[in-house]
Amino acid sequence: MSQLIFSLNDVHYEIAGKPLFEELSMQIHQRDRICLVGKNGAGKTTLMRMITGELEPDAGQRFVHPDCVIGYLAQSVPFQPQETVKEFVLRGIAPRTADETIESLEYLADMVIAPLELNPHQKMELLSGGQVRRAALARALVMEPDILLLDEPTNHMDMHVIQWLEEYLASYRGALICISHDRAFLTAISQRVYWLDSNKIRVCPHGYGQFDEWMERYIEQESRALRNLEQQVQAGIDWTQGGVTGRRKRNVRRVRELEQLREKLRQDKNAYNKRSQKLDLDPVASINNSRLIAEFRHVYKSFTREGDTIPILHDFSHKVMKGDKIGIIGRNGSGKSSVIKLITGELEADKGSIFRSKQIDISYFDQQRTALNPAKTLQETLCPEGGQHVHLSGKNGEPFPIHVCGYLKKFLFDPSQVQDKVSTLSGGQQNRLLLAKVLANPGNLLILDEPTNDLDMDTLDMLQDILSDYKGTLILVSHDRDFLDRCVTELYAFEGNAQVQITYGGYSDYIREKEAMQQKARAPIEKAVQPTIVKKIEEAPVIRSLTYSERLELANLPDKLSLLEQDMAQIHEQLEDTHLFQRAPEQFHHLLNRYEALKNELAQQEERWLLLEERALL
């Protein structure tokens, strides 16, 4: 085994008098690839801060190997507004030898700033939230630490930056511990899983790709252990009830052991039930009689930034229908937010027209969580009109009340938190609260802007179930590839320069389609080499009139085109089934391929019809 460079042994840590860690132990060796998972509020970020030394345990031992450098990408990184990106990144470098200086190590900053597409001379105060996040990542990487801690590194990151980070970490020489909700990212980078559960760490010896299967086996083993413990408790009860009074000392010892067993059983059962608890929420309803939500008709849109014109949409035509589940991906500034604002009416097209249904009822999840007031309690957030009940949308549009404590439990909040301030919640808990607020009355157009940031896996699974049952129109902006595959049936990829690729399916379908297009573009055009034959043309060719068979073909083409359009319309209607992709992926792909084949045939027949029409007029 490689050298041990960090450890925590029998650590105890309390927050507000409540134990967060009890007898917690962990070890980090050179080149470890660890992902840290656990429910929101389990203490993942607290553990990261304890590894850095920012927090000290109340009890237990913390060991750090001499000369070990620890780098940390926190969820929020302070910066000086007037400093440049390069100055900010260079503050993360600490020379390790007497010969090294900051100036001699500037090349390290350039090596990480360039692939993250940052301007090294840009002032930090002028950066967007995503750019600040990338600068913080560059600062953590430039240290080349022995232990690299990444707390939600994919938050606010573009897809191509996430893929670059995966490749970078594959060759990283130090140890790595990562907290993330991005299943695909964790699967790509991890070799072990530390599961923070019931104030302790359980170690899965495999990468995240095998974690779910391992966890199911672990919980089943724990269930059997609980049943055995219950049998021991019952045996102890039977013994005390029929015990011999002449052996009082032994009797007292057995009773004491029984109480200890009972207490252990209570603790283990509580932990098991808490661990096995699943988020459960009734399907949300949507009332809208209109099939068409919005339609783009030859829309043009651009912005002017620092004197440059940035095109967002160029002659874009598309329909957004009721029940569509649309995923949106793309780089910062490519047009993701703009197309949402065009749909909602916050922006208008420069050219072209946009039809919007008058019955649109929008609910919006903002990744900045502006709808949450830190000074308000959870009850005040969910019951803004007062009272103790949350009024949910019923299946027929009629609201029905549910007690706020019961509603909070559906989102894995303890009812005792109902009077806690929003400011006391972790980032993941705040996202859960905002989801609870938005999903209480989701309207018929639900817009989720990066909803997966900071959420634990249980909440992501719950959100996926809700979105699959949602009957309205969903627009989901996300960088989470796995979540997109699970939730959307149509993907808009904003690829820059006003180019929008629309794919029926999820992110994996988009990648396959894109790779196929690139392969086709790269493939050499294979043509049989024929000898050049030179013909002497003595006179101009005679334009012949249509033959009988061509005239018959021309007469039948309108009906043929109409039938092709009808077949395409029927397949498109089947593809609009929001559950088809998850229920029958093979059928979905078959229909998608058939739709594309019909579309190509329609284009060919239209060209043939135009050609014959033109010749018929000569």
Side-chain angles (χ1 to χ4, degrees):
M1 181 177 289
S2 56
Q3 184 179 7
L4 178 70
I5 54 179
F6 180 89
S7 69
L8 294 174
N9 293 310
D10 294 327
V11 162
H12 184 88
Y13 187 76
E14 292 186 357
I15 295 180
K18 297 180 180 179
L20 185 64
F21 303 145
E22 291 182 303
E23 299 178 354
L24 181 143
S25 296
M26 67 175 296
Q27 293 81 38
I28 303 174
H29 296 81
Q30 290 176 328
R31 290 196 61 80
D32 269 350
R33 296 289 185 271
I34 299 167
C35 65
L36 182 61
V37 302
K39 294 183 178 179
N40 292 138
K44 300 187 295 293
T45 298
T46 300
L47 184 59
M48 288 279 206
R49 295 171 64 193
M50 194 170 289
I51 294 173
T52 65
E54 182 182 347
L55 295 177
E56 289 290 338
D58 297 329
Q61 296 178 335
R62 176 181 179 270
F63 164 78
V64 184
H65 190 277
D67 302 323
C68 177
V69 176
I70 300 175
Y72 181 33
L73 172 66
Q75 292 191 32
S76 178
V77 180
F79 58 85
Q80 299 172 10
Q82 291 301 313
E83 67 182 339
T84 65
V85 169
K86 190 167 186 177
E87 290 169 344
F88 171 77
V89 172
L90 285 173
R91 284 203 287 119
I93 296 180
R96 300 194 183 192
T97 67
D99 297 331
E100 289 182 345
T101 63
I102 296 296
E103 290 73 19
S104 69
L105 297 174
E106 283 193 18
Y107 74 95
L108 294 175
D110 295 331
M111 288 175 61
V112 292
I113 290 175
L116 291 172
E117 299 181 354
L118 294 167
N119 180 351
H121 308 295
Q122 187 84 22
K123 298 290 186 183
M124 289 295 296
E125 64 179 351
L126 300 178
L127 300 185
S128 67
Q131 290 172 323
V132 169
R133 190 72 178 156
R134 276 185 271 156
L137 176 60
R139 182 172 170 175
L141 298 178
V142 77
M143 296 176 63
E144 296 187 332
D146 301 294
I147 301 175
L148 177 61
L149 307 176
L150 301 176
D151 194 348
E152 295 289 359
T154 64
N155 279 4
H156 313 292
M157 294 290 183
D158 296 335
M159 208 77 73
H160 69 289
V161 176
I162 295 174
Q163 292 169 342
W164 173 85
L165 181 58
E166 287 178 359
E167 296 171 1
Y168 179 92
L169 295 177
S171 59
Y172 184 67
R173 293 178 295 178
L176 167 69
I177 298 185
C178 178
I179 300 171
S180 179
H181 63 273
D182 189 326
R183 285 181 167 93
F185 182 74
L186 291 180
T187 300
I189 68 166
S190 67
Q191 296 174 352
R192 249 192 310 166
V193 180
Y194 281 7
W195 177 24
L196 197 53
D197 170 65
S198 300
N199 312 115
K200 295 180 177 63
I201 286 180
R202 325 281 180 183
V203 180
C204 169
H206 313 289
Y208 186 80
Q210 302 179 52
F211 174 65
D212 286 343
E213 182 180 348
W214 175 88
M215 184 174 64
E216 287 180 6
R217 291 198 304 268
Y218 178 89
I219 291 178
E220 177 58 32
Q221 292 171 0
E222 192 177 52
S223 176
R224 288 197 297 268
L226 275 176
R227 289 195 293 269
N228 292 335
L229 185 57
E230 286 176 333
Q231 291 174 1
Q232 293 179 43
V233 171
Q234 186 59 48
I237 291 173
D238 294 342
W239 188 90
T240 56
Q241 290 175 348
V244 180
T245 57
R247 301 179 180 178
R248 291 186 178 178
K249 288 185 179 180
R250 186 176 177 186
N251 198 348
V252 170
R253 178 177 62 81
R254 291 292 299 269
V255 170
R256 190 185 308 117
E257 290 176 352
L258 175 61
E259 286 303 319
Q260 292 173 351
L261 276 174
R262 281 175 170 164
E263 180 59 28
K264 186 177 187 309
L265 179 60
R266 278 193 291 268
Q267 292 177 358
D268 289 355
K269 270 196 170 182
N270 287 337
Y272 177 76
N273 291 335
K274 195 172 183 181
R275 186 179 305 120
S276 304
Q277 183 180 4
K278 294 293 182 182
L279 286 160
D280 183 26
L281 196 65
D282 295 330
V284 291
S286 168
I287 302 300
N288 182 10
N289 295 324
S290 175
R291 289 282 300 162
L292 184 63
I293 297 297
E295 181 178 2
F296 291 76
R297 299 168 182 165
H298 304 288
V299 170
Y300 292 76
K301 187 64 183 178
S302 62
F303 291 98
T304 302
R305 185 181 301 159
E306 298 179 356
D308 297 328
T309 300
I310 302 173
I312 298 299
L313 294 176
H314 178 83
D315 195 19
F316 181 69
S317 296
H318 194 69
K319 291 180 180 180
V320 179
M321 305 297 293
K322 177 184 177 182
D324 282 353
K325 288 182 167 56
I326 300 167
I328 297 182
I329 62 173
R331 301 187 178 192
N332 290 334
S334 61
K336 302 190 298 292
S337 299
S338 298
V339 77
I340 291 176
K341 291 178 180 179
L342 287 167
I343 292 174
T344 61
E346 294 180 58
L347 288 178
E348 292 297 335
D350 298 337
K351 184 180 175 182
S353 61
I354 301 173
F355 166 82
R356 305 178 186 90
S357 171
K358 295 181 180 179
Q359 299 180 8
I360 290 181
D361 180 13
I362 301 172
S363 287
Y364 183 52
F365 179 99
D366 172 18
Q367 63 173 309
Q368 304 301 327
R369 299 192 284 259
T370 55
L372 296 182
N373 185 339
K376 288 190 174 182
T377 66
L378 276 64
Q379 180 172 331
E380 290 170 338
T381 301
L382 296 177
C383 308
E385 304 299 326
Q388 297 182 341
H389 290 83
V390 181
H391 295 277
L392 306 182
S393 295
K395 294 182 179 180
N396 298 319
E398 296 295 329
F400 68 92
I402 179 173
H403 196 277
V404 64
C405 290
Y407 189 60
L408 282 170
K409 285 181 68 176
K410 292 177 178 290
F411 289 84
L412 287 187
F413 286 101
D414 192 290
S416 64
Q417 295 178 273
V418 70
Q419 296 303 327
D420 289 354
K421 300 288 187 183
V422 172
S423 58
T424 65
L425 302 179
S426 68
Q429 289 172 321
Q430 289 189 22
N431 266 14
R432 267 196 275 142
L433 180 64
L434 183 55
L435 280 173
K437 182 179 178 66
V438 170
L439 294 174
N441 294 282
N444 52 45
L445 176 57
L446 180 58
I447 301 173
L448 303 179
D449 186 3
E450 296 289 2
T452 65
N453 287 349
D454 305 317
L455 293 182
D456 57 38
M457 300 304 180
D458 286 341
T459 310
L460 286 177
D461 290 340
M462 175 275 294
L463 182 56
Q464 175 197 334
D465 291 340
I466 290 176
L467 296 183
S468 65
D469 290 329
Y470 177 57
K471 303 304 180 185
T473 302
L474 169 68
I475 298 178
L476 171 64
V477 181
S478 180
H479 62 268
D480 191 322
R481 295 158 288 181
D482 181 80
F483 193 71
L484 287 169
D485 273 342
R486 292 165 177 250
C487 293
V488 306
T489 57
E490 192 174 351
L491 196 73
Y492 296 179
F494 285 78
E495 302 184 329
N497 198 28
Q499 298 300 311
V500 184
Q501 181 175 336
I502 297 178
T503 301
Y504 289 102
Y507 181 79
S508 298
D509 300 283
Y510 160 71
I511 290 298
R512 282 193 290 267
E513 187 174 303
K514 191 173 181 66
E515 288 176 349
M517 292 170 62
Q518 291 173 345
Q519 185 176 1
K520 185 177 180 180
R522 288 193 302 263
I525 301 175
E526 297 180 358
K527 290 185 177 180
V529 179
Q530 300 289 342
T532 303
I533 300 175
V534 180
K535 291 185 177 181
K536 183 178 180 181
I537 301 177
E538 298 180 351
E539 57 185 20
V542 177
I543 299 176
R544 61 185 178 87
S545 59
L546 295 181
T547 64
Y548 173 79
S549 61
E550 287 174 334
R551 289 198 301 272
L552 184 62
E553 179 185 3
L554 178 59
N556 292 329
L557 269 174
D559 290 338
K560 189 172 184 179
L561 293 174
S562 179
L563 288 174
L564 286 171
E565 290 173 343
Q566 290 176 20
D567 290 344
M568 288 176 66
Q570 290 176 358
I571 293 177
H572 188 272
E573 185 175 354
Q574 290 178 273
L575 289 171
E576 284 184 336
D577 181 356
T578 57
H579 299 290
L580 179 60
F581 181 71
Q582 295 176 337
R583 185 178 67 245
E586 292 184 1
Q587 182 186 358
F588 179 88
H589 289 297
H590 172 73
L591 290 172
L592 185 60
N593 292 334
R594 178 62 180 154
Y595 184 87
E596 290 298 321
L598 289 172
K599 187 167 77 170
N600 292 334
E601 185 180 355
L602 180 64
Q604 293 173 2
Q605 295 299 331
E606 286 178 340
E607 289 181 8
R608 178 67 174 166
W609 178 64
L610 291 173
L611 176 64
L612 293 177
E613 278 281 332
E614 184 179 354
R615 285 177 48 200
L617 295 174
L618 294 176

